[in-house]
C-alpha cells in the first residue's frame, strides 16, 4: 500500500522519481506527488489525483521541476479520500489550496504505512498551535517531527527518533529538511524500505524494481532504524541515535524482469513466466535427485519430530496453504490447519511443541501475515517463511526461510509467485513424506520426476491459450460465476474464483462442490456459469453429479480436467484439458487455464488488468 521513492545525486531528480514511481504504481494508484529541491532553494511540491501519468503530465515528465534531490509517493488511500490535498508529500507548515507549490515549511515528507495513534498525536499538536489541512496520518507524523526538531533544537536524526518513540503503527518515511539541502532522512518500522547507492547518487524506494535501473547495491534498513541519505553515501542510526552499520547487498535480479517484455500486460507476461518460476524454485531445492532443505535450516530431525503444521497467509497465498493442506496430509500424514493471517493473529490457538507455523507470502511484507508470524513466535512455535522477496520483513523475522524464485511480480493479481509457492510447498510435502517414512524411496523418486515435469506441462497449457481467449469473449458479460470442486480441486477453485473476480469485477464464488445443495444452489439460474475443477479421480464422479444438478437448473458448464477424462464432454458445455500428472501436484497445472480465463475476461471488459480498482500489490496495512 503506497510506494515511496527518493533520490539525491547529480542528475535531475524528478524524472528519476517518476520512473521509480511508475514501477511502484502497483502499490497504490489513486494519487501521486513529488517534492524536489534545487540546491539551497525551497522544495517545490506537485501532486495529482488518479494514475501516475497525471502527475507526469503536470510536471512535463518531471522536466518542469528542477532539482537534484527529491522524494515521491504513489498513494493507496487509508486516511482521507483520494484527493489532491490528501496526496503526499505533506508539509510541516500550513498549506493552501491543493498543496502544490513552493514549500515554506521546515519539513516535507512521504509515508507508507499507518500511524495508529494519529488522532491522539493530532490533538497534542493542535494544543501546540499546529493546524491541519489534510485528513491524513502522514501530515501528523511530519508535523510531529517538526515539533521535536524545533522544541529541542536537535538535528533531523534525533527529531525522527523522538517521533518514532511516540508513534504507534507502521511506517516507511522519507523526509527532507529545509536546513539540510541535498539530504533525505528515512525511517522504517514494519513497512518495506530499501536504500540504494552508486558513486554519485543515492536512492530509496519501497521495492527493488524502482531503483534496479540505477543501482544494484542496496541496504535493507531494519525496523526502528533511521537513515541519513546523501549523494553516494548513507549512514544508519538506531533509536538511541547511535550510528550502526548495515551490510551492502547486491541485487541479482535482471532489470528486464521488471519490464513488460513485449507482452500487453504484466499479468500475461507473468503467466508465461510460470514455467521458469517453478523450474527455478524446484532447482533451488532439488540437488542430485534429492530435495535439499539445508538452505532453510530445517533438519531431518526437525521434520521427523513434527506433530502439527499451521499454515498462515492471506489471499492467494492462503489458497496455496489450502492446497498444501491436502498434499501434506495425504503424503506425509501430518495434521495441517490453514488459517487466514488476519484471523490467526487475534485467536488464541494453542500451539504445542513440535508445531511448525508456515507463513506464505510473496511480498514478505503483508501486515497480517507478519503479525501472525510474530504471534506464532511469541507463543513459542517454530516458524518457516515461504517468501519471494529476499530480505523482506517476514523473511528476516522467521526462524527458517524457503525462498521462492519467481523474480519480481508486478501485476497486482499474483500468478507466477502463486505457482512458485505451490512448487515450494509440494517439494516440502514430498520431503516430509520421505522423512516420516510415509512414502517409499521408489515413490519419492517418482514424485520428484513428476515435480520436475511440471514446468514443461505448464508450457503446454499456455500453448493452447487462444481457446480460453475465445471462451472468455463468450462469458465476458456474466454476472455470477461459481467455481466448484472437491478436495484439492476445491483449493484450485478458490484461486480460480479470486483470479476471475479481482480483475474482471464479475461476482464469483468458490464452493466445495458438496456444499452447493446446502444453500448456494438456489442462486443457480438460466445460463449461470459454473466451472467445475475435476482432477481428482476419486472425486470426479461426485463433482460431475453436482455439476449435473446445476445444469438441470439452467447452468452453463465449463470443466477443467485431466487429459483422458473425455467422458466429461457428455456433461459439460466447454472443457479444458490439462496434462496428466501425479494428482498431488495438479494445482500447478489446473490453475493456469483459470488464470488465463480471468485475464482474458478482464481484457474483454476493457479493464485495467494490472491495476484493478481498490487493490494494491502489497497490503502493508491491517
Ligand atoms: C491476489 C493476490 C493477493 C495476495 C495477498 C497476499 O491475486 O495477489 O490475494 O496473494 O495479498 O500477499 P502476499 O503473498 O504478498 O503476502
Amino acid at each position: 500500500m503506497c510506494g515511496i521513492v527518493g533520490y539525491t545525486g547529480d542528475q535531475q531528480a524528478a524524472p528519476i522519481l517518476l520512473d521509480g514511481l511508475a514501477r511502484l504504481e502497483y502499490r497504490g494508484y489513486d494519487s501521486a506527488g513529488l517534492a524536489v529541491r534545487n540546491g539551497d532553494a525551497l522544495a517545490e511540491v506537485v501532486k495529482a489525483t488518479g494514475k501516475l501519468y497525471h502527475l507526469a503530465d503536470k510536471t512535463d515528465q518531471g522536466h518542469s521541476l528542477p532539482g537534484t534531490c527529491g522524494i515521491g509517493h504513489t498513494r493507496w488511500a487509508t486516511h482521507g479520500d483520494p484527493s489532491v490535498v490528501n496526496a503526499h508529500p505533506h508539509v510541516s507548515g500550513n498549506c493552501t489550496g491543493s498543496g502544490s507549490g513552493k514549500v515554506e515549511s521546515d519539513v516535507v515528507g512521504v509515508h507508507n504505512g499507518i500511524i495508529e495513534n494519529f488522532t491522539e498525536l493530532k490533538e497534542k499538536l493542535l494544543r501546540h498551535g499546529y493546524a491541519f489541512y489534510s485528513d491524513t496520518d502522514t501530515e501528523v507524523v511530519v508535523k510531529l517531527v517538526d515539533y521535536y526538531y524545533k522544541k529541542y533544537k536537535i538535528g533531523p536524526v534525533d527529531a525522527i527518533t523522538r517521533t518514532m518513540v511516540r508513534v504507534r503503527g507502521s511506517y516507511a518515511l522519507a523526509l527532507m529538511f529545509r536546513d539540510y539541502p541535498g539530504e533525505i532522512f528515512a525511517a522504517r518500522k514494519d513497512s518495506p524500505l530499501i536504500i540504494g547507492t552508486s558513486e554519485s547518487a543515492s536512492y530509496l524506494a519501497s521495492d527493488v524494481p524502482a531503483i534496479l535501473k540505477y543501482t544494484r547495491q542496496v541496504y535493507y534498513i531494519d525496523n526502528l532504524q533511521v537513515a541519513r541519505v546523501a549523494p553516494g553515501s548513507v549512514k544508519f542510526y538506531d533509536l538511541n541515535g547511535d550510528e550502526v552499520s548495515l551490510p551492502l547487498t547486491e541485487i541479482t535480479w535482471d532489470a528486464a524482469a521488471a519490464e513488460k517484455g513485449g507482452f500487453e500486460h504484466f499479468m500475461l507476461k507473468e503467466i508465461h513466466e510460470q514455467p521458469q518460476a517453478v523450474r527455478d524454485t524446484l532447482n533451488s531445492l532439488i540437488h542430485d535427485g534429492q530435495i535439499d532443505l539445508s538452505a532453510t535450516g530445517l533438519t531431518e530431525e526437525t521434520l521427523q519430530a513434527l506433530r502439527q503444521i499451521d499454515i498462515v497467509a492471506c489471499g492467494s497465498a492462503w489458497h496455496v496453504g489450502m492446497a498444501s493442506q491436502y498434499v501434506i496430509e495425504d503424503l506425509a500424514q501430518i495434521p495441517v490447519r490453514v488459517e487466514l493471517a488476519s484471523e490467526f493473529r487475534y485467536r488464541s490457538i494453542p500451539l504445542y511443541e513440535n508445531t511448525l507455523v508456515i507463513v506464505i507470502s510473496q511480498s514478505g511484507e503483508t501486515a497480517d501475515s507478519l503479525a501472525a508470524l510474530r504471534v506464532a513466535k511469541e507463543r513459542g512455535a517454530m516458524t518457516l517463511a515461504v517468501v519471494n522477496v529476499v530480505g523482506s520483513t517476514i523473511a528476516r523475522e522467521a526462524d527458517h526461510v524457503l525462498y521462492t524464485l519467481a523474480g519480481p511480480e508486478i501485476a497486482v493479481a499474483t500468478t507466477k509467485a502463486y505457482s512458485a509457492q505451490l512448487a515450494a510447498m509440494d517439494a516440502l510435502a514430498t520431503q516430509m513424506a520421505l522423512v516420516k517414512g510415509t512414502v517409499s524411496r521408489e515413490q519419492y523418486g517418482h514424485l520428484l520426476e513428476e515435480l520436475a515435469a511440471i514446468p514443461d506441462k505448464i508450457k503446454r497449457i499456455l500453448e493452447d491459450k487462444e481457446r480460453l481467449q475465445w471462451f472468455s469473449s463468450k462469458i465476458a458479460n456474466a454476472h455470477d460465476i461459481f467455481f466448484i470442486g472437491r478436495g484439492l480441486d476445491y483449493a484450485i477453485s478458490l484461486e480460480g474464483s479470486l483470479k476471475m473476480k479481482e480483475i474482471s469485477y464479475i461476482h464469483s464464488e468458490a464452493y466445495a462442490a458438496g456444499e452447493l445443495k446446502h444453500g448456494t444452489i438456489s442462486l443457480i439460474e438460466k445460463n449461470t456459469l459454473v466451472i467445475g475443477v475435476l482432477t481428482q479421480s476419486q472425486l470426479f464422479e461426485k463433482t460431475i453429479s453436482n455439476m449435473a444438478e446445476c445444469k438441470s437448473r439452467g447452468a452453463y458448464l465449463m470443466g477443467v480436467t485431466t487429459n483422458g477424462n473425455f467422458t466429461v464432454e457428455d456433461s459439460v458445455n466447454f472443457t479444458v484439458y490439462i496434462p496428466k500428472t501425479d494428482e498431488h501436484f495438479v494445482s500447478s497445472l489446473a490453475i493456469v487455464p483459470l488464470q488465463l480465463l480471468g485475464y482474458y475476461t478482464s481484457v474483454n471488459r476493457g479493464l485495467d488488468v494490472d491495476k484493478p480498482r481498490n487493490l494494491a500489490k502489497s497490503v502493508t496495512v491491517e
Side-chain angles (χ1 to χ4, degrees), residues 289-290 330-332 429-448:
Q290 275 278 130
D330 199 55
L331 280 180
T430 305
Q431 190 61 13
M432 285 174 173
L434 180 76
V435 172
K436 287 278 189 185
T438 49
V439 295
S440 66
R441 270 272 161 198
E442 197 188 341
Q443 286 166 318
Y444 178 76
H446 167 73
L447 290 169
L448 289 194

Side-chain angles (χ1 to χ4, degrees), residues 107 145 148-149 153-165 173 175 177 180 183-187 224-229 234-244:
V107 189
V145 171
Y148 288 128
Y149 181 61
K153 300 197 177 4
I154 47 181
V157 170
D158 291 330
I160 294 170
T161 54
R162 274 184 186 268
T163 306
M164 289 161 79
V165 172
L173 275 171
L175 303 164
F177 288 70
Y180 293 79
E183 290 188 278
I184 303 170
F185 294 84
L224 296 175
Q225 286 184 340
V226 177
R228 180 172 187 164
V229 184
V234 190
K235 287 183 174 161
F236 295 95
Y237 303 88
D238 63 17
L239 214 45
N240 298 320
D242 295 330
E243 197 172 333
V244 288

Side-chain angles (χ1 to χ4, degrees), residues 15 259 271 325 348 373 380 382 444 519 535 537 580:
E259 307 285 345
I271 288 174
Q325 177 180 39
S348 10
L373 172 77
M382 179 179 28
Y444 178 76
T535 68
S537 42
K580 280 204 170 105

Side-chain angles (χ1 to χ4, degrees), residues 1 267 312-320 359-370 386-389 394 409 411-415 417-418 421 495 498-499 502-503 612 615-619:
M1 312 266 142
M267 184 175 176
V312 188
C314 302
S316 295
W318 180 74
H319 298 158
V320 172
V359 179
I360 306 177
S361 174
Q362 186 285 126
S363 61
E365 301 291 349
T366 300
D368 285 321
S369 303
L370 175 59
V386 176
V387 166
N388 195 44
V389 177
I394 291 175
E409 192 177 61
V412 166
T414 183
T415 52
Y418 166 88
Q421 288 164 351
E495 177 62 5
L498 181 60
K499 285 288 90 75
E502 68 180 329
I503 53 173
L615 292 176
K617 179 81 183 154
S618 181
V619 186

Side-chain angles (χ1 to χ4, degrees), residues 327-577:
V327 182
I328 297 174
E329 288 189 343
D330 199 55
L331 280 180
Q333 299 291 301
I334 304 171
V336 181
R337 260 188 315 215
V338 189
E339 301 292 334
L340 291 163
S342 53
E343 293 292 317
F344 179 91
R345 62 184 291 190
Y346 295 118
R347 278 174 61 186
S348 10
I349 298 180
L351 296 174
Y352 300 112
E353 222 185 314
N354 296 329
T355 295
L356 176 66
V357 174
I358 306 180
V359 179
I360 306 177
S361 174
Q362 186 285 126
S363 61
E365 301 291 349
T366 300
D368 285 321
S369 303
L370 175 59
L373 172 77
R374 289 177 179 165
V375 166
K377 287 184 78 174
E378 268 161 35
R379 295 204 194 130
M382 179 179 28
T383 55
L384 167 70
V386 176
V387 166
N388 195 44
V389 177
V390 176
S392 55
T393 312
I394 291 175
R396 282 187 284 164
E397 293 195 13
D399 302 317
H400 304 279
V401 189
L402 194 170
Y403 279 115
T404 52
L405 299 186
E409 192 177 61
I410 309 294
V412 166
T414 183
T415 52
K416 64 172 179 168
Y418 166 88
S419 288
Q421 288 164 351
L422 277 178
M425 291 300 290
D426 284 347
L428 189 63
T430 305
Q431 190 61 13
M432 285 174 173
L434 180 76
V435 172
K436 287 278 189 185
T438 49
V439 295
S440 66
R441 270 272 161 198
E442 197 188 341
Q443 286 166 318
Y444 178 76
H446 167 73
L447 290 169
L448 289 194
E449 276 169 25
E450 289 288 277
L451 278 175
I454 285 173
D456 282 339
K457 292 178 183 172
I458 297 178
K459 240 188 203 156
R460 278 177 16 221
I461 300 170
L462 291 171
E463 280 159 15
D464 204 18
K465 61 179 185 283
E466 283 74 19
R467 274 190 85 226
L468 285 150
Q469 187 172 17
W470 167 82
F471 185 67
S472 82
S473 66
K474 284 171 70 87
I475 62 148
N477 293 323
H479 291 295
D480 301 287
I481 304 179
F482 293 88
F483 289 74
I484 63 169
R486 288 170 183 252
L488 205 44
D489 288 338
Y490 170 50
I492 299 164
S493 300
L494 285 165
E495 177 62 5
S497 170
L498 181 60
K499 285 288 90 75
M500 175 59 73
K501 70 183 129 194
E502 68 180 329
I503 53 173
S504 75
Y505 313 153
I506 297 175
H507 167 251
S508 90
E509 305 210 26
Y511 272 91
E515 267 295 295
L516 273 180
K517 49 171 104 56
H518 297 287
T520 314
I521 202 160
S522 67
L523 294 171
I524 304 293
E525 40 188 53
K526 192 165 169 11
N527 290 331
T528 304
L529 178 60
V530 175
I531 299 178
V533 184
L534 302 145
T535 68
Q536 303 295 296
S537 42
Q538 282 195 334
L539 302 167
F540 180 88
E541 292 298 343
K542 295 195 182 301
T543 305
I544 280 282
S545 308
N546 298 130
M547 292 178 78
E549 287 156 11
C550 294
K551 194 170 188 174
S552 59
R553 284 152 183 87
Y556 186 77
L557 301 183
M558 167 177 161
V560 177
T561 192
T562 312
N563 240 333
N565 285 339
F566 301 122
T567 53
V568 118
E569 293 190 23
D570 300 338
S571 314
V572 313
N573 305 91
F574 178 73
T575 313
V576 177
Y577 294 100

